[in-house]
Amino acid sequence: MRKDRWVLRAVGLLAVSFALMTTVSLAAEAGSSGDPLVTLSYLNGTFMDTILQRVDQKIAERTGQAYTPVSPSGDDNVSSFTVVTLSAGQVLTGDVGCEVMLRIGTASCVSSSAPGLIDETTAAVLNDGGDLVTNHLYMMTIEGRGIQAGSGTTKLMVRGGYTLS
């Protein structure tokens, strides 16, 4: 009879142990810290698609922020160019950040010190008296920089504040 009790106790202990393990495994969520097992198909399918969508969203948000022009005056036409026609010898003096592109005629840089204009097309510096190249974009990065028209009519595309003299 003693042997029967030992077997009965062992069977009871196994039954209680099985019930506990079943309860714990059913309560654990797949992929959680309690059950970290993840299948390759889940990683390649659902998880990777979710990550790629989030990355695309962040890139779109940051790209939109990076290329949104900001105008200190609140003007909505910050990114538009204005065509300006200069007569021979006339000078256009731009505000800091003003951009100019020579379209027709000849022109030269006017500046009291170096650097004069920044050639955004080639990343070069154009100093006082240097000739502008047609279809290159130039920027005034220091106050008092300008462009003097050569002989004949000169047409410029200008973005930003400027004065004519």
Side-chain angles (χ1 to χ4, degrees):
M1 185 116 161
R2 281 192 164 282
K3 284 186 178 186
D4 291 338
R5 282 187 177 177
W6 181 80
V7 172
L8 188 59
R9 285 183 185 170
V11 169
L13 184 61
L14 284 173
V16 169
S17 178
F18 178 75
L20 275 172
M21 288 180 163
T22 304
T23 303
V24 169
S25 68
L26 289 176
E29 190 177 317
S32 69
S33 61
D35 182 18
L37 181 62
V38 178
T39 64
L40 181 60
S41 62
Y42 173 78
L43 286 176
N44 288 337
T46 308
F47 183 73
M48 190 60 89
D49 290 343
T50 304
I51 293 297
L52 290 175
Q53 287 174 353
R54 287 183 185 169
V55 168
D56 289 342
Q57 279 179 328
K58 292 293 182 183
I59 289 172
E61 288 171 10
R62 291 187 181 179
T63 302
Q65 291 172 0
Y67 295 110
T68 303
V70 177
S71 171
S73 65
D75 183 13
D76 291 336
N77 294 326
V78 174
S79 60
S80 63
F81 281 91
T82 303
V83 176
V84 177
T85 303
L86 302 177
S87 56
Q90 194 172 14
V91 176
L92 177 142
T93 304
D95 295 342
V96 174
C98 178
E99 295 177 300
V100 178
M101 179 183 290
L102 176 65
R103 294 292 292 145
I104 297 171
T106 60
S108 60
C109 173
V110 176
S111 69
S112 57
S113 63
L117 302 174
I118 304 299
D119 184 343
E120 294 182 56
T121 307
T122 62
V125 175
L126 185 65
N127 290 316
D128 187 46
D131 292 331
L132 276 71
V133 177
T134 305
N135 298 324
H136 279 217
L137 187 62
Y138 295 90
M139 179 184 278
M140 285 91 170
T141 59
I142 300 174
E143 195 172 318
R145 302 309 190 239
I147 295 172
Q148 184 172 19
S151 62
T153 301
T154 301
K155 290 196 182 241
L156 305 169
M157 292 179 62
V158 181
R159 176 169 48 193
Y162 65 91
T163 56
L164 296 174
S165 56

